[in-house]
Amino acid sequence: MKRLTGFMFFCVMSILCGMAQEQLPFAKGADISWITQIEQRAKYQLVNEQGEVIDGFQMLTDCGMNMVRLRVWVHPRADRDGRVWCDTRDMVSKAVRAKAAGLRLMLDFHYSNWWADPGKQHVPEEWKDCDIEQLCDSVEAHTTEVLLALREAGVEPTWIQVGNETPTGFMKPLGDATVHPENFARLFQRGEQTCKRICPGAITMVHIDNGFMLDRTEFILDILQKYDVHYDMLGWSLYPAMNWLAEPPVIDLNWQVKVDQCIANVAEIYRKYGKETMIVEIGIPDDHEALCAEVLTYMMNHAPAHLTGLVYWEPITTPDFGYKMGALKPYNDHQFMAKDGMKAFRK
């Protein structure tokens, strides 16, 4: 009877989760994975427009957001104070707070011990001697551990990224899609299938950078299509006011061209692959407050069919982090509030 009851529960939950996917509102949110580090340093406070002290999750809801994105690393190194950030424990603690604030969760698997992005997709040190089958097993074990930890804490992710900014693959060298496309497909498939096994209602996602450059996305999606690998949705990064090809990168005020191209690409992705798209990372240089408002308002007002959401990357960033695309402004010398541009999410 227990088995039957459990099976019935699984079926009901799968149906309900599927219904929830169909009824999801446009996702408006932010990645605030740094929030626990900011709080631990206790150097600055966050406040609302009335000067009342709030936490980062309240700041998101005050700005009209309905979801949060959180990254997870495999075995990140401790900082100089012996603290570890963005591991499973730290991520789960933030996810619990997000749920309490009424925010849906997007989980971002990096499958690395540190940052994974187009310039670096390093396999975790503990996995570096694995062959492809062992590496697939490691992906499954890590994915399982993280998702079960979330479940134990009472949190179910709405979206799950299988990798972070993977235009040429991940977990290199074995997962390098330019050299071993079949390996990349196997690794992605193992991660995605594990997500679906544990969280059948979650929306699984491929994440590629530079959403205005269609060929970068087509390269990866064509590989997944060739090897018959399932995923639910595409996620893009879009930093339209930056020229990353310059050395050093410089501000590019001709941002609308990139945004319009990205919007056009959403339709092409749906036509060619039948997949909807979400902008899971967007950021604007923090010394251009009017530009922040202009870009976000434009994006919200021109969101096309098949674009399902917009996520700001690390808007809650205090000066001691050195990141130059946050979305805070000083309230006084030790307190910060959200920039006016973030109010675009209230639409």
Side-chain angles (χ1 to χ4, degrees):
M1 181 61 72
K2 281 186 177 180
R3 279 188 173 181
L4 182 58
T5 303
F7 177 73
M8 291 173 65
F9 175 77
F10 173 83
C11 291
V12 171
M13 287 304 296
S14 297
I15 292 170
L16 290 177
C17 288
M19 292 171 61
Q21 286 187 21
E22 296 298 323
Q23 299 166 3
L24 284 179
F26 190 83
K28 299 179 287 185
D31 188 317
I32 58 169
S33 298
W34 271 325
I35 191 65
T36 43
Q37 289 175 268
I38 292 172
E39 292 170 340
Q40 187 276 327
R41 293 182 182 186
K43 188 174 181 180
Y44 300 99
Q45 292 180 324
L46 304 176
V47 297
N48 60 20
E49 293 168 312
Q50 291 73 45
E52 299 165 333
V53 176
I54 58 175
D55 75 357
F57 299 94
Q58 182 64 52
M59 179 170 280
L60 298 193
T61 59
D62 286 353
C63 289
M65 298 184 186
N66 55 25
M67 57 82 70
V68 68
R69 178 178 183 256
L70 298 173
R71 62 181 166 269
V72 62
W73 293 326
V74 180
H75 293 114
R77 289 177 293 179
D79 65 16
R80 60 188 178 186
D81 297 318
R83 296 181 174 88
V84 177
W85 309 105
C86 295
D87 64 350
T88 302
R89 175 202 57 80
D90 180 51
M91 182 277 296
V92 170
S93 73
K94 291 175 286 199
V96 169
R97 293 170 62 187
K99 180 180 178 180
L103 298 166
R104 293 181 181 272
L105 172 65
M106 176 184 291
L107 179 61
D108 177 14
F109 279 103
H110 278 231
Y111 295 115
S112 184
N113 289 346
W114 196 235
W115 300 106
D117 55 47
K120 50 187 180 296
Q121 291 284 347
H122 301 309
V123 67
E125 182 69 18
E126 300 81 0
W127 303 354
K128 68 177 184 178
D129 294 325
C130 291
D131 60 26
I132 185 60
E133 191 58 47
Q134 292 168 332
L135 192 54
C136 285
D137 290 344
S138 297
V139 166
E140 180 174 357
H142 170 64
T143 305
T144 300
E145 175 192 356
V146 171
L147 294 179
L148 291 182
L150 277 173
R151 175 166 292 175
E152 180 70 20
V155 180
E156 291 285 337
T158 302
W159 306 269
I160 306 176
Q161 282 184 217
V162 183
N164 188 79
E165 292 190 328
T166 59
T168 59
F170 56 7
M171 291 175 276
K172 296 180 179 181
L174 283 183
D176 189 335
T178 66
V179 180
H180 306 291
E182 70 286 356
N183 285 354
F184 169 75
R186 287 184 65 185
L187 290 165
F188 184 95
Q189 184 174 57
R190 185 68 71 89
E192 199 273 346
Q193 288 180 341
T194 305
C195 293
K196 287 295 190 182
R197 173 172 56 83
I198 299 172
C199 301
I203 300 168
T204 54
M205 187 177 294
V206 184
H207 180 203
I208 308 295
D209 65 320
N210 289 333
F212 58 91
M213 299 172 68
L214 189 60
D215 59 329
R216 296 174 74 82
T217 297
E218 290 177 322
F219 173 72
I220 288 296
L221 297 194
D222 286 348
I223 290 173
L224 297 180
Q225 189 173 67
K226 175 181 177 180
Y227 290 98
D228 196 26
V229 177
H230 176 269
Y231 60 97
D232 294 318
M233 184 181 289
L234 173 65
W236 270 333
S237 295
L238 178 66
Y239 294 88
M242 290 298 298
N243 179 0
W244 298 108
L245 299 179
E247 187 59 46
V250 295
I251 293 174
D252 181 4
L253 296 180
N254 195 25
W255 57 268
Q256 191 171 332
V257 173
K258 295 178 183 176
V259 170
D260 288 342
Q261 185 60 61
C262 183
I263 289 171
N265 289 348
V266 169
E268 178 61 13
I269 289 295
Y270 191 79
R271 183 197 67 79
K272 185 174 180 180
Y273 303 98
K275 304 295 183 180
E276 295 189 316
T277 301
M278 185 185 300
I279 306 299
V280 299
E281 291 188 23
I282 191 169
I284 311 298
D286 59 9
D287 55 351
H288 287 67
E289 182 168 358
L291 184 61
C292 177
E294 188 177 2
V295 173
L296 292 179
T297 300
Y298 186 89
M299 289 289 294
M300 296 297 292
N301 289 342
H302 293 81
H306 309 303
L307 181 68
T308 65
L310 182 64
V311 183
Y312 204 101
W313 197 81
E314 293 286 6
I316 301 177
T317 309
T318 51
D320 51 328
F321 271 75
Y323 180 62
K324 300 300 183 183
M325 285 193 283
L328 298 179
K329 64 180 181 180
Y331 185 80
N332 54 39
D333 61 352
H334 69 285
Q335 293 180 320
F336 286 83
M337 61 186 293
K339 287 182 177 180
D340 290 343
M342 299 301 284
K343 296 176 184 177
F345 287 101
R346 295 178 181 173
K347 295 181 179 294

